[in-house]
Amino acid sequence: MTGSEETPSFRLAYVPGVTPAKWVRIWNERLPDVPLTLLQVTAAEAPDVLRDGGADAGFVRLPVDRTFFSAIPLYTEATVVVVPKDHLITAAEEVTLDDLADEVLFHPLDDVFDWDSPPGEPAFERPATTADAIELVAAGVGLLVVPQSLARLHHRRDLTYRTVVDGPRSSIALSWPEEATTDLVEDFIGIVRGRTVNSTRGRAQPPAQEKGKRPEKKPAAGKSAARNPRGRSGGAQGTKRGRPRKRS
């Protein structure tokens, strides 16, 4: 028997911007004997971590290789441009890509958008990470287009952001290797999809429900008793009532 069989556990990867706390809390309530380990990975690392068995499932950014992974799309994020608080763009509530055409826009190496090059003027170099690009925006040398969750993750008091209405979109999904759909993966899928403990697709079922058993009912007996308190059949009563009189 292997160690994993003796002490079952569940490893959940997640990319920056995703907050898995609510799902982890429900897991701990429903499966207190199965520890859940969180593993933060970059969007680029996530597929390899799942493919190599480093995690059982993960919150990833789409697209994924659907020939190998199963995926349940969860939500699509708004796209924003991160700017200094005193930038002219802050005068508007929303902007378009054309509004950014004359701005220097950073394109970090860990950019999650599937575009060859962002709009606007290219920066003198590509920052290694989104966090590095945020520092450059704070220094006033350019702007950065990211999913809203990353703008919140790297929040600074001297920066703000505005929605880019026609920008590219990034979607989050729960994903796992299709051939490794274990019982624990099914449990977590149920949690993410909002199934209750007693859901017919859950594994924590009362024994009678698991086997499809139902309490035995006797509606016929109940109805008969209600109609005939003496417990006699209709035919017997009819015979008694229809008894012929004695001839004198």
Side-chain angles (χ1 to χ4, degrees), residues 145-160:
V145 176
V146 291
Q148 187 174 24
S149 67
L150 293 183
R152 290 173 174 171
L153 177 65
H154 297 288
H155 171 71
R156 291 175 51 121
R157 298 181 65 180
D158 53 348
L159 299 180
T160 188

Side-chain angles (χ1 to χ4, degrees), residues 10-243:
F10 189 74
R11 298 158 300 168
L12 178 66
Y14 68 102
V15 297
V18 174
T19 306
K22 65 177 180 180
W23 295 300
V24 173
R25 175 181 54 78
I26 297 172
W27 176 279
N28 291 334
E29 291 172 354
R30 294 188 185 178
L31 294 94
D33 297 329
V34 182
L36 186 153
T37 302
L38 288 173
L39 176 65
Q40 187 176 63
V41 296
T42 67
E45 293 170 342
D48 288 338
V49 169
L50 292 172
R51 192 184 299 271
D52 297 340
D56 299 291
F59 291 112
V60 304
R61 291 191 181 274
L62 294 177
V64 297
D65 180 2
R66 296 305 290 264
T67 64
F68 186 86
F69 295 107
S70 292
I72 301 173
L74 300 177
Y75 57 89
T76 298
E77 293 194 62
T79 299
V80 302
V81 57
V82 182
V83 301
K85 279 194 170 180
D86 59 355
H87 197 281
L88 289 176
I89 282 179
T90 60
E93 292 297 321
E94 298 176 338
V95 299
T96 66
L97 292 177
D98 286 343
D99 295 328
L100 306 177
D102 296 329
E103 302 288 344
V104 173
L105 291 182
F106 294 111
H107 187 198
L109 296 176
D110 65 352
D111 187 13
V112 300
F113 292 129
D114 187 20
W115 53 13
D116 294 331
S117 60
E121 298 293 330
F124 58 91
E125 65 178 358
R126 293 188 65 183
T129 66
T130 297
D132 293 336
I134 291 289
E135 293 293 332
L136 293 172
V137 174
V141 293
L143 310 180
L144 176 66
V145 176
V146 291
Q148 187 174 24
S149 67
L150 293 183
R152 290 173 174 171
L153 177 65
H154 297 288
H155 171 71
R156 291 175 51 121
R157 298 181 65 180
D158 53 348
L159 299 180
T160 188
Y161 58 83
R162 291 293 184 268
T163 300
V164 182
V165 294
D166 59 347
R169 294 288 187 266
S170 179
S171 297
I172 299 295
L174 175 65
S175 183
W176 66 96
E178 186 172 354
E179 295 184 357
T181 309
T182 64
D183 286 341
L184 292 179
V185 170
E186 288 284 6
D187 286 330
F188 194 75
I189 292 170
I191 289 172
V192 171
R193 282 185 160 168
R195 297 178 195 151
T196 64
V197 175
N198 294 325
S199 167
T200 55
R201 299 184 70 179
R203 294 196 302 117
Q205 302 285 337
Q209 290 185 9
E210 286 184 8
K211 297 178 182 179
K213 295 181 180 178
R214 296 182 181 234
E216 210 173 308
K217 296 181 180 179
K218 299 181 180 180
K223 291 178 181 178
S224 175
R227 292 198 207 100
N228 187 1
R230 298 183 182 180
R232 299 175 182 174
S233 66
Q237 284 185 328
T239 302
K240 183 177 180 181
R241 291 174 183 169
R243 184 179 299 168

